[in-house]
């Protein structure tokens, strides 16, 4: 197991290194000059050249890449071109709303998706199963931005249950912060819940057909006992893998949702930084997202190996 885990960690580090090269290369060929964006189209060539030198943009691409990487190793992510503050502090400030949003959306997706998938699987082929599957297919196809706007219209502008947007931070209390994040989290969670439910249904149906289920029945388990104590715990294991796969989709969805609800999070910051050609913010924020996804996948890999010892000798 330790050898497999070491190989997994090495593989994640290799992916992170490759991702850093890809991110830097893509940002290097991105249309638009940061100095021109900052100074305006009417700026003189001398002013643009001076700002290039000040920002270090006149160095070669290889020099700029290794300057960025070595800075990260020293804990220095650089300075934002637009805000003129350390990038690490800027990202950390915005992370206080994005991380709770993603965690809350993931919890809601699991709380909805797992039970719905289990109910559909135990009623396979019946009217309830067909109705749930049709509903899930509809929810999965709804765009995040449209769902967010409809929820804002219904629950904020019509019913006045939740604020229409914005996030004032946690200084006003946990309840206030959670109220501001509830609608965005639901909008983010519903499509993911539909995917989890469909996957849970398939996984549970497959589990119920395994030999150890027949063994459990022969040992005297009741139908409910066999379902909750044997079948569902085993069916949830593949769902953990799905969560790791869907995390990038969840992060991408948070960019859209944060802009619809005007939440000052990392997603909104990333979109603003791309539009303003704030390269240090973009490249460090993207690398943070990649590293977070890889770290979560590594954690899920360890959990899956622990839950299913049969995978201890393989790679995930």
């Amino acid at each position: 197991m330790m050898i497999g885990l070491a190989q997994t960690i090495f593989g994640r580090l290799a992916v992170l290194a490759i991702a850093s090269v890809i991110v830097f290369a893509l940002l290097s060929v991105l249309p638009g000059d940061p100095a021109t964006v900052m100074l305006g189209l009417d700026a003189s060539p001398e002013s643009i050249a001076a700002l290039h030198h000040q920002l270090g943009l006149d160095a070669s691409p290889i020099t700029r890449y290794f300057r960025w990487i070595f800075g990260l190793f020293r804990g220095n992510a650089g300075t934002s071109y637009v805000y003129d503050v350390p990038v690490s502090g800027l990202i950390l400030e915005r992370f206080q709303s994005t991380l709770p949003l993603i965690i809350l959306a993931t919890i809601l997706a699991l709380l909805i998706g797992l039970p719905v998938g289990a109910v559909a699987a135990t009623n396979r082929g019946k009217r309830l199963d067909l109705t749930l599957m049709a509903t899930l297919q509809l929810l999965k196809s709804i765009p995040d931005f449209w769902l967010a706007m409809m929820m804002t219209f219904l629950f904020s502008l019509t019913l006045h249950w939740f604020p229409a947007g914005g996030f004032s931070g946690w200084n006003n209390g946990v309840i206030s912060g959670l109220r501001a994040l509830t609608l965005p989290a639901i909008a983010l969670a519903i499509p993911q819940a539909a995917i989890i439910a469909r996957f849970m249904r398939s996984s549970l149906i497959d589990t119920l057909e395994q030999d150890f289920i027949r063994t459990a029945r022969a040992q005297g388990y009741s139908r409910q006992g066999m379902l909750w104590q044997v079948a569902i715990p085993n069916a949830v294991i593949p769902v953990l893998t799905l969560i790791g796969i869907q995390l990038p989709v969840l992060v991408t969805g948070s960019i859209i949702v944060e802009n619809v609800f005007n939440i000052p999070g990392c997603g909104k910051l990333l979109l603003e930084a791309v539009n303003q050609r704030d390269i240090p913010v973009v490249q460090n924020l993207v690398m943070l997202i990649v590293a977070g996804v890889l770290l979560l996948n590594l954690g899920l890999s360890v959990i899956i190996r622990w839950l299913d010892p049969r995978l201890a000798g393989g790679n995930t």
Side-chain angles (χ1 to χ4, degrees), residues 58-311:
D58 55 349
S60 67
I62 295 178
T63 300
R64 287 187 283 118
Y65 172 76
F66 283 106
R67 186 183 295 165
W68 169 45
I69 295 300
F70 290 150
L72 289 180
F73 280 119
R74 296 194 303 268
N76 180 15
T79 303
S80 167
Y81 294 165
V82 175
Y83 297 96
D84 196 26
V85 296
V87 173
S88 56
L90 182 62
I91 293 177
L92 182 62
E93 178 185 354
R94 300 296 186 97
F95 211 60
Q96 296 178 12
S97 57
T98 297
L99 183 61
L101 173 61
I102 293 178
I103 292 176
L104 185 58
T106 303
I107 293 174
L108 289 175
L110 289 172
L111 290 178
I112 297 171
L114 292 179
V116 171
V119 170
T122 53
N123 291 274
R124 181 183 182 184
K126 298 180 180 179
R127 180 178 299 177
L128 179 58
D129 177 32
L130 298 176
T131 302
L132 288 175
M133 286 300 99
T135 304
L136 292 174
Q137 184 63 35
L138 176 63
L139 293 177
K140 188 179 70 170
S141 61
I142 296 177
D144 292 331
F145 71 91
W146 187 87
L147 181 60
M149 290 189 294
M150 292 301 101
M151 292 181 65
T152 301
F153 176 78
L154 177 61
F155 295 106
S156 298
L157 302 180
T158 304
L159 298 176
H160 304 289
W161 290 355
F162 298 97
F167 180 75
S168 58
W170 301 102
N171 294 330
N172 296 329
V174 176
I175 301 299
S176 176
L178 289 177
R179 286 188 74 249
L181 294 179
T182 297
L183 281 186
I186 293 176
L188 201 56
I190 286 180
Q192 298 303 314
I195 296 173
I196 290 174
R198 291 177 64 88
F199 198 84
M200 179 64 183
R201 176 184 179 274
S202 300
S203 179
L204 185 54
I205 289 175
D206 181 67
T207 301
L208 291 172
E209 295 175 350
Q210 300 298 315
D211 292 337
F212 64 84
I213 296 296
R214 288 189 285 270
T215 302
R217 290 173 178 169
Q219 291 175 346
Y221 277 88
S222 64
R223 186 177 184 278
Q224 293 297 321
M226 178 273 300
L227 183 65
W228 289 101
Q229 298 178 39
V230 182
I232 290 181
N234 281 275
V236 167
I237 294 177
V239 178
L240 296 178
T241 305
L242 176 68
I243 295 174
I245 296 173
Q246 287 297 116
L247 182 61
V249 180
L250 197 65
V251 173
T252 304
S254 70
I255 298 175
I256 300 173
V257 169
E258 284 183 1
N259 279 275
V260 172
F261 286 97
N262 196 29
I263 296 176
C266 290
K268 188 175 177 61
L269 175 63
L270 179 60
L271 190 60
E272 293 173 348
V274 170
N275 291 331
Q276 297 167 337
R277 302 301 185 267
D278 197 346
I279 303 300
V281 173
V282 176
Q283 62 188 15
N284 285 289
L285 193 49
V286 171
M287 285 305 299
L288 178 63
I289 293 172
V290 173
V293 171
L294 293 176
L295 185 62
L296 178 63
N297 282 329
L298 178 62
L300 290 174
S301 176
V302 173
I303 294 174
I304 292 171
R305 291 170 187 269
W306 177 69
L307 292 175
D308 192 348
R310 294 172 297 177
L311 299 176

